[in-house]
Amino acid sequence: MFENLSERLSGVFDRLTKQGALSEDDVKTALREVRVALLEADVSLPVAREFVKKVQEEATGQAVTRSITPGQQVVKIVHDALVDTLTGEGDPGALKIDNPPAPILMVGLQGSGKTTTTAKLAKRLKEKDGKRVLMASLDVNRPAAMEQLEILGNQIGVDTLPIVKGEDPVAIAKRAKTQASLGGYDVYMLDTAGRLHIDAELIQQAADVRDIANPRETLLVVDGLTGQDAVNVATEFDDKIGVSGVVLTRMDGDGRGGAALSMRAVTGKPIRFVGLGEKMDAIETFEPERIAGRILGMGDIVSLVEKAQETIEAEQAEKMMKRFQKGRFNMNDMKMQLEQMIKMGGMEGVMGMMPGMGKMAKQVQDAGFDDRILKQQVALIQSMTKIERANPQILQASRKKRIAKGAGMEVSELNKLLKMQRQMGDMMKKMGKGGMLKQAMKGMFGKGGPSPEDMAAGMDPKALEQAAKQMGKIPGGGLPGLGGGMSLPPGLSGFGKKK
């Protein structure tokens, strides 16, 4: 979502960091461009003005103009100001659910994704916090709204309040409260009705439910694509009902992201979670530090490590590590690596979180590489027999022809995959000898290893940036049109380019 803003800002800062010393005029010119970039990204004017003023005060100080890397210093000041603009009180992911059953009220306009978000949060509370959750739909207006929540409840294994036709929202809220108390639930979530715009009836209905339930949290669900109007909606709901936090949905969309930046500053309400897609686990805690890092192209290593931890199974990884240390890396291992990458959001998803790689992700896209290539490589491996996967060295011409044909690909594509597997095998062997592999695995699974935050802190973004650039120097790397020695991991380059 923040792609355009990110691109504009990185252009401004690239020019700044290339200059040796900065005059006050240089900083002012750069900040003028920053303000235009913010306004184009749909940040509200007062917020953009305040932001630039805050940065200007700090960036034109003596310390910056004399510092060794004034450009970097300005980037850091902008980063800190972004974090400051986005940060609310307390931990965004910690919902107040102290004395059970704790009610959570979900409010918002129609079509903002309230029902889906209710289910996503219920799943998160159940799996991450081990809570017993009851969901209740109070939406008596929208056809099949109650059935939708019931179906989602069945999908994620969370109980929903039985539907009784003809009840009004207040009666449903009372019934949910009683059932939650009698059933021994920790949390009950009330999914209220929405309207296409704010009207007296909608507000009155939500206020009545609030008075009955006395919620511990009132979460406003806002569509991230609605731009500045989202801020007006938040202000209105907060005035009339009282909101304890905001959930922004469709953050994976191509909106301009300004609403997120204005929301906290204008309403004073923290953004607690962001929805990133339709799947039930596509919800993340809104971490200002990480979002600011992504906007400024500094990457988000903590999220990358967390994602890896979520998608890798510990036992499987243990086995893999023992094999890698012995220098064994066959096609089964290769398949697991590729599937892992797809699970983590594909090439672009991973690159976007690595320092200095944001721009590369764009170049990779322009060069015609997309995540279908990873799936094609998995298809080639699936086309092999068990024996061939375990011993790729036995593949000769006739076998190669059969495998390629089975996956609907060319033999040349299979040869690239085999070359990639050999190079990765060599790399694993080297890492296994140096004990680097063991350390990395320890960290991944917390077996006496550090937490994602500590791991990220131990990774020097500059070193990672260098590593990213070095990737191009591995034989078989170069991707046409990327220049500057930047390229993809060996063997991925030129593989199945978009026609």
Side-chain angles (χ1 to χ4, degrees):
M1 173 172 260
F2 295 112
E3 233 168 65
N4 293 343
L5 179 61
S6 196
E7 255 169 59
R8 286 293 304 268
L9 291 180
S10 65
V12 176
F13 296 137
D14 276 354
R15 287 196 290 282
L16 271 187
T17 44
K18 278 176 190 147
Q19 285 173 264
L22 292 183
S23 67
E24 263 184 48
D25 285 345
D26 292 334
V27 175
K28 276 183 183 159
T29 310
L31 288 181
R32 204 170 299 129
E33 289 185 49
V34 168
R35 186 166 80 175
V36 172
L38 289 172
L39 292 174
E40 281 182 1
D42 218 358
V43 175
S44 69
L45 184 62
V47 177
R49 268 195 196 137
E50 186 58 36
F51 181 82
V52 170
K53 188 177 155 206
K54 196 190 300 176
V55 173
Q56 193 159 347
E57 280 168 12
E58 285 194 41
T60 46
Q62 289 297 307
V64 173
T65 40
R66 285 187 189 163
S67 82
I68 308 160
T69 53
Q72 293 289 350
Q73 192 96 354
V74 174
V75 176
K76 187 183 181 317
I77 292 169
V78 171
H79 176 264
D80 293 347
L82 261 180
V83 173
D84 195 47
T85 306
L86 292 168
T87 307
E89 261 100 71
D91 174 6
L95 294 169
K96 287 193 203 87
I97 34 183
D98 31 26
N99 43 344
I104 294 177
L105 186 62
M106 308 292 285
V107 295
L109 294 183
Q110 197 170 318
S112 60
K114 268 194 313 301
T115 304
T116 313
T117 304
T118 303
K120 284 180 183 178
L121 279 177
K123 181 176 193 281
R124 188 188 167 92
L125 285 169
K126 176 189 157 194
E127 289 174 6
K128 286 208 166 175
D129 306 327
K131 302 288 181 196
R132 280 199 71 207
V133 186
L134 175 71
M135 301 191 293
S137 172
L138 277 56
D139 192 345
V140 292
N141 308 359
R142 185 165 63 93
M146 295 177 154
E147 286 77 1
Q148 183 193 353
L149 192 67
E150 192 173 45
I151 289 165
L152 291 174
N154 289 335
Q155 259 180 38
I156 58 174
V158 169
D159 296 341
T160 48
L161 190 72
I163 299 169
V164 175
K165 293 288 175 196
E167 269 190 336
D168 68 337
V170 173
I172 301 171
K174 282 180 181 164
R175 194 156 55 88
K177 190 176 183 177
T178 312
Q179 180 145 338
S181 304
L182 297 174
Y185 291 95
D186 299 307
V187 183
Y188 65 101
M189 303 185 73
L190 303 172
D191 175 25
T192 60
R195 291 278 193 292
L196 293 174
H197 56 88
I198 298 169
D199 60 16
E201 194 187 338
L202 164 75
I203 293 290
Q204 191 52 53
Q205 199 179 75
D208 291 344
V209 171
R210 177 202 61 197
D211 295 342
I212 290 294
N214 197 7
R216 301 292 291 125
E217 294 274 5
T218 303
L219 298 179
L220 171 67
V221 183
V222 178
D223 183 341
L225 300 183
T226 45
Q228 277 317 297
D229 201 43
V231 181
N232 305 335
V233 170
T235 313
E236 186 76 7
F237 267 101
D238 189 37
D239 288 347
K240 304 283 195 311
I241 296 166
V243 170
S244 64
V246 178
V247 182
L248 274 179
T249 58
R250 296 200 219 176
M251 287 288 281
D252 53 329
D254 54 2
R256 289 179 284 180
L261 295 178
S262 317
M263 185 78 70
R264 225 292 296 146
V266 176
T267 63
K269 297 297 164 199
I271 299 169
R272 308 289 290 273
F273 298 97
V274 287
L276 300 157
E278 286 299 313
K279 288 186 179 158
M280 284 292 109
D281 49 8
I283 189 164
E284 271 182 24
T285 310
F286 185 83
E287 303 279 1
E289 284 266 343
R290 303 186 193 182
I291 298 277
R294 282 192 209 181
I295 292 175
L296 295 181
M298 295 174 176
D300 179 1
I301 308 166
V302 184
S303 287
L304 191 62
V305 175
E306 279 182 352
K307 258 206 166 106
Q309 282 184 343
E310 279 168 25
T311 52
I312 301 174
E313 266 132 44
E315 277 175 44
Q316 216 175 17
E318 284 277 315
K319 280 182 197 162
M320 264 169 71
M321 190 178 85
K322 283 178 184 147
R323 291 174 47 70
F324 293 168
Q325 278 177 316
K326 290 176 188 164
R328 292 183 194 150
F329 184 84
N330 62 25
M331 281 298 173
N332 291 318
D333 303 312
M334 185 79 194
K335 179 169 171 268
M336 271 172 65
Q337 296 278 329
L338 291 167
E339 284 170 344
Q340 171 73 21
M341 196 144 180
I342 293 166
K343 268 189 200 168
M344 284 172 70
M347 194 78 176
E348 247 184 284
V350 173
M351 275 183 157
M353 293 183 198
M354 284 184 74
M357 294 284 268
K359 289 179 209 157
M360 241 177 107
K362 186 91 181 85
Q363 288 171 313
V364 168
Q365 209 178 14
D366 295 344
F369 178 95
D370 67 15
D371 287 330
R372 274 182 314 191
I373 295 161
L374 301 175
K375 288 174 184 159
Q376 286 168 352
Q377 292 183 323
V378 171
L380 277 169
I381 298 171
Q382 282 170 330
S383 184
M384 298 174 189
T385 65
K386 275 185 181 173
I387 294 169
E388 287 165 346
R389 282 186 218 179
N391 309 291
Q393 64 276 11
I394 66 169
L395 296 180
Q396 81 290 49
S398 60
R399 285 181 188 248
K400 283 183 184 176
K401 245 185 210 163
R402 189 203 79 243
I403 292 165
K405 197 175 177 186
M409 311 277 285
E410 299 293 326
V411 173
S412 59
E413 313 280 11
L414 176 59
N415 285 335
K416 279 178 193 165
L417 179 67
L418 290 166
K419 184 180 179 184
M420 189 172 157
Q421 177 260 331
R422 283 197 300 276
Q423 287 176 336
M424 282 181 84
D426 292 344
M427 204 164 77
M428 292 295 178
K429 207 182 272 182
K430 280 180 197 160
M431 282 175 78
K433 278 179 188 161
M436 274 167 73
L437 208 58
K438 208 164 196 172
Q439 274 308 104
M441 285 294 183
K442 250 187 183 176
M444 280 294 175
F445 303 106
K447 292 192 177 147
S451 69
E453 280 80 1
D454 294 343
M455 267 186 89
M459 295 182 196
D460 175 15
K462 281 274 168 290
L464 278 170
E465 209 165 321
Q466 278 307 106
K469 286 175 184 168
Q470 282 302 319
M471 270 164 63
K473 314 256 165 81
I474 300 170
L479 182 72
L482 279 194
M486 274 200 177
S487 74
L488 295 170
L492 277 181
S493 51
F495 192 109
K497 290 265 214 63
K498 282 182 194 160
K499 294 286 182 279

